[in-house]
Amino acid sequence: MSVQTRDYVDVAARARELGCRVPERIALLPGNFSAAAHAGEFCYHAAASHVRSAWKSVRLEDEGPDARDTPGENGTGGDMTQLSSIGIVSQAVEADTDCDSAGVPFVVFFGAGLLAGPPWRLVVALGMVSSVLASRARRAGKRDARLDIVVERPRDCGFACIEYRGDAFGIVPLVRDVRLVWAGK
């Protein structure tokens, strides 16, 4: 198991630069969020749709940076969130095998806005990520998960990324690491 914390790009500024929705509380980010040239290049981990579905079942909303009115794969415009929720798959919305083979990590964002709500949301969100990644790993004959947790530091103090590499069942204890970032440590 490996856990490292490093600085991360300004999520809000990057989302605006890419013409995307700015997440405030909880979101799934594409694994290439900081490096994508435009939203059409977004590459989500293949488990993203499963986690979104699990979150939705407990009323956690993914505020991810789905592109606003950007053309889809076939040149169709419209709300990417709506396209994703009705199951239309494009590289910008869901991962394909190319994204997985590129080693795209699963990326979760927890914004400072989450601090104003009930504390259970953080634990449940990570618990569901753990469950989905563990299930997928077992089916693939693996044990390890690759997870990046991007955390907004309060009071405009930037963003941190907690990089986790290890057993998918070790994800829930990372709640402590997220709270440490929020506490300024």
Side-chain angles (χ1 to χ4, degrees):
M1 177 180 80
S2 166
V3 179
Q4 297 179 353
T5 302
R6 62 177 170 80
D7 287 335
Y8 194 75
V9 299
D10 182 325
V11 173
R14 182 77 176 128
R16 283 190 294 274
E17 175 185 326
L18 294 168
C20 301
R21 179 170 54 173
V22 177
E24 294 178 16
R25 290 174 293 279
I26 184 171
L28 298 180
L29 297 179
N32 64 342
F33 181 72
S34 63
H38 54 81
E41 287 185 356
F42 281 171
C43 231
Y44 284 89
H45 189 278
S49 63
H50 300 285
V51 170
R52 279 189 192 108
S53 193
W55 282 359
K56 189 176 180 180
S57 73
V58 293
R59 298 191 173 180
L60 289 175
E61 180 188 347
D62 174 13
E63 300 176 345
D66 298 314
R68 281 187 242 140
D69 298 320
T70 9
E73 256 183 351
N74 301 323
T76 60
D79 181 12
M80 296 290 252
T81 305
Q82 181 181 0
L83 295 177
S84 176
S85 69
I86 61 174
I88 296 173
V89 179
S90 74
Q91 185 178 8
V93 177
E94 299 299 334
D96 58 20
T97 38
D98 292 337
C99 291
D100 277 348
S101 65
V104 172
F106 192 91
V107 184
V108 180
F109 168 82
F110 294 117
L114 197 61
L115 287 165
W120 65 264
R121 294 186 301 176
L122 175 62
V123 176
V124 169
L126 281 178
M128 290 181 159
V129 168
S130 173
S131 178
V132 169
L133 292 182
S135 175
R136 293 181 61 80
R138 277 193 307 264
R139 283 196 303 270
K142 301 176 185 175
R143 289 186 51 108
D144 287 343
R146 185 173 174 207
L147 172 69
D148 288 355
I149 302 172
V150 177
V151 184
E152 181 181 14
R153 295 178 177 118
R155 298 174 294 283
D156 296 323
C157 292
F159 297 82
C161 179
I162 302 165
E163 295 177 348
Y164 174 79
R165 308 297 180 259
D167 191 303
F169 290 112
I171 291 173
V172 176
L174 296 172
V175 165
R176 181 191 61 130
D177 297 81
V178 172
R179 289 185 175 142
L180 286 172
V181 170
W182 280 337
K185 298 178 182 175

